[in-house]
Amino acid sequence: MSQVVPDDILLGLDAQQLDAVTAGVGTVIVRAGAGSGKTTVLTRRVAWRVANNTADLEHVLAITFTRQAAGELRRRIRTLNLVDDEDAPRRSEFTAGTFHAIALRLLKQRFNDTNRVAPLVVTNRMQILNTVAGADSRAGGAFELLTLIDWAHARNLGPVEATTAFQELGRRIPVTTQRFTEIFTDYEKAKRKRGVVDLNDLISLVVHEAKYDAAFAESIRWQYRHIHVDEAQDMNPLQYSFLRVLVGKTPDLFIVGDPHQAIYGWNGADHTLFDDLPDLSAGSYVVELPSNYRCTPQIVAAAVHVLKNAGHDANEKSLRSDGAPITAVRCATEQEELTSICEQVLRLHAVTGSWDSIAVLSRTNKLASEIVLALQGARVPVQEIRSDRKYAAALAEASSLSSRHALAVWAADAIDTPDDDTDDDIKEVAMSIRMYLAEHPSGPADGRSFQTWTATTAPLTQHHGVEVLTFHAAKGREWTGVIVSGAETGLLPHSSAISAEARQEEGRLAYVACTRAAQHLVITWTDKRGGKRTGPSALLRKLPLGESPLAPPTAEIRSRRSVPLASDPLAVALKQWRSTAARASRCEPQAVLTDAELERLVRANPQNDLDIVAVLGPIIGGRYSARILAAIADQ
């Protein structure tokens, strides 16, 4: 097979994408909106550079934030014929990985070159924390304490500086500031005593080694000469320090990010690093990718409106054809919202024909769990994913273990600890490990194979069905139809978002949630949750639903106006439906629809959701459209 022709790499790119891919060597900053094809741009950039002999594939590095994203980049690069057949083995030398994976690779190489024993990556962080925190961990604060320690590491802060920062940010600490300082300090000492490091330590060690050994720093820059960074808006200060080690005095840097999808400030990320690129932005070339190829104009308009309500400037636009209007569903209580979500899922399934093409997103894990139960109760197939953060953290920790022995030790540590010292979620994962090892008494076994077994064999796992995720977990995903639930005061923005910056991040989070939908977007909220008044989120204020202008009335509608309502079959059918709905809700028929609203419906003779919303408005229309259309069909 012949080597790829450079011009073939540019096929199908729009003007802005072409500008980004073919930009000169230096610092290129690509601000890529949701659905703008940033992965395509990143892949084509590598291919363009290699095909034009301005980059050597074996010296190309792409840094991502997930293993899945790194794997997707490698897969796409492999599909391009970037080198001659005789050099085919070199294709595998393209390097893509997360910050932690690249740091680990460099550390192993560094310690081998200096005849030192590389530290082990900790496999039982929770156990270490439980030991040093004692009763404070058993009281239920272990996961939160680890999250705070990780945030401090990400911000390059020690115990004392971290507590000061938490106080300035108004961030809750589950113990006193003095006690947190002690736990943080003892946790670091315990790691050193055991000769282990955690993932953040991997990056810190590379930065430290490079700072005090210029030859090591230069060897890194020789190995990785062409640097590419994906999702750069999610960088934290520690990762930025690592990037500065990689990039020399003459930058060859291609950095892609979307400031509007910066949603990990709670985890230590600092979106201003991408906005400003300290010490790297001088002489940079900036390209904007505002075109959304995923979402309909109605969805993009709604998402951009949410951003503007949160105080952001936005210019994203959809290049797709018109789609369905946004469905807004107002619910009196959380129970009514769950019922409405089930109804909307069934409606979307009737339109899309696939459960897998539908997702329900929520701001919190608690609401996600309630939605899963409601859908299962309605016999809707759900892709069963444990969303509890402690369980997820324990499963992630177990999945990182590198051997059968490590799995066995981790499980033993968790199970053999007194009951009041270990979370039930950790013990549940530990029991799963023992089941896995019992079913696989011989042969290779490690955390990755255990993770695969959990996903494919563990009880209650459902591989096809509606997905229920938090907004954060949905980032990077897309579905034909999406229901954004709990879009109300107290949940969106979340009540914990006290500072102006935190509330702006909540706006970005809502934008991410909305732009997961390609064709159909439903937004639900309640007027009361947990006995407290809520109401629609301020982020939804004057939300455009994308209604089309009303066409002039047809001859059929004009003729219907002359028919007395009392004898009109449509009026009879709608009154009967209204009475049934009122009995089910234990209210007067006028509380469901007033006579005037019913009369307007009859006059309009609606044929679809849009017609009903045009008559009743987005709230009542969105709530009752499916049932009204069913009543009309049955007349």
Side-chain angles (χ1 to χ4, degrees), residues 369-430:
S369 298
E370 294 170 355
I371 292 169
V372 167
L373 292 175
L375 290 174
Q376 290 173 335
R379 298 189 177 183
V380 172
V382 178
Q383 293 192 32
E384 184 70 24
I385 302 175
R386 280 293 299 265
S387 60
D388 184 90
R389 63 182 187 176
K390 294 180 181 178
Y391 178 91
L395 183 60
E397 190 170 303
S399 300
S400 69
L401 303 178
S402 58
S403 68
R404 175 186 296 276
H405 175 71
L407 282 170
V409 170
W410 193 93
D413 284 345
I415 294 173
D416 297 337
T417 299
D419 288 343
D420 61 345
D421 283 352
T422 304
D423 287 320
D424 290 340
D425 300 288
I426 298 174
K427 288 192 174 183
E428 185 176 342
V429 173

Side-chain angles (χ1 to χ4, degrees), residues 503-576:
R503 295 180 72 83
Q504 283 200 329
E505 182 165 309
E506 291 287 309
R508 298 192 294 269
L509 188 57
Y511 169 80
V512 167
C514 291
T515 54
R516 300 312 93 193
Q519 297 182 34
H520 303 277
L521 176 61
V522 179
I523 301 175
T524 69
W525 68 86
T526 68
D527 289 330
K528 184 179 290 187
R529 187 180 298 275
K532 297 180 180 179
R533 293 192 61 179
T534 51
S537 167
L539 296 173
L540 302 183
R541 187 178 61 255
K542 297 183 179 180
L543 185 73
L545 300 179
E547 301 97 337
S548 299
L550 291 178
T554 63
E556 180 183 358
I557 293 176
R558 287 195 297 271
S559 65
R560 180 175 289 279
R561 289 175 177 168
S562 63
V563 179
L565 288 180
S567 59
D568 191 310
L570 177 56
V572 172
L574 288 177
K575 284 183 178 179
Q576 183 177 354

Side-chain angles (χ1 to χ4, degrees), residues 57 140 147 187 202 252 298 345 391 439 570 602 627:
L57 189 60
T147 299
Y187 174 74
L202 297 176
D252 186 344
Q298 288 80 1
V345 165
Y391 178 91
E439 290 182 19
L570 177 56
V602 174
R627 284 172 274 184

Side-chain angles (χ1 to χ4, degrees), residues 25 69 132 165 220 224 227 370 444 454 556 577 596 632:
V25 178
V132 301
I220 294 174
Y224 299 129
I227 311 299
E370 294 170 355
T454 301
E556 180 183 358
W577 164 80
I632 293 173

Side-chain angles (χ1 to χ4, degrees), residues 579-599:
S579 297
T580 301
R583 284 195 299 272
S585 299
R586 298 181 180 181
C587 64
E588 294 296 320
Q590 292 280 345
V592 177
L593 281 184
T594 66
D595 288 340
E597 289 170 331
L598 192 146
E599 182 177 345

Side-chain angles (χ1 to χ4, degrees), residues 148 151-152 157-167 173 180 184:
L148 293 172
W151 186 93
L157 299 176
V160 176
E161 297 91 342
T163 54
T164 301
F166 294 144
Q167 290 173 331
I173 305 176
F180 176 76
F184 192 169

Side-chain angles (χ1 to χ4, degrees), residues 278-294:
D279 304 322
L280 286 176
S281 59
S284 60
Y285 186 72
V286 180
V287 182
E288 302 274 352
L289 300 183
S291 300
N292 185 310
Y293 292 92
R294 174 197 302 151

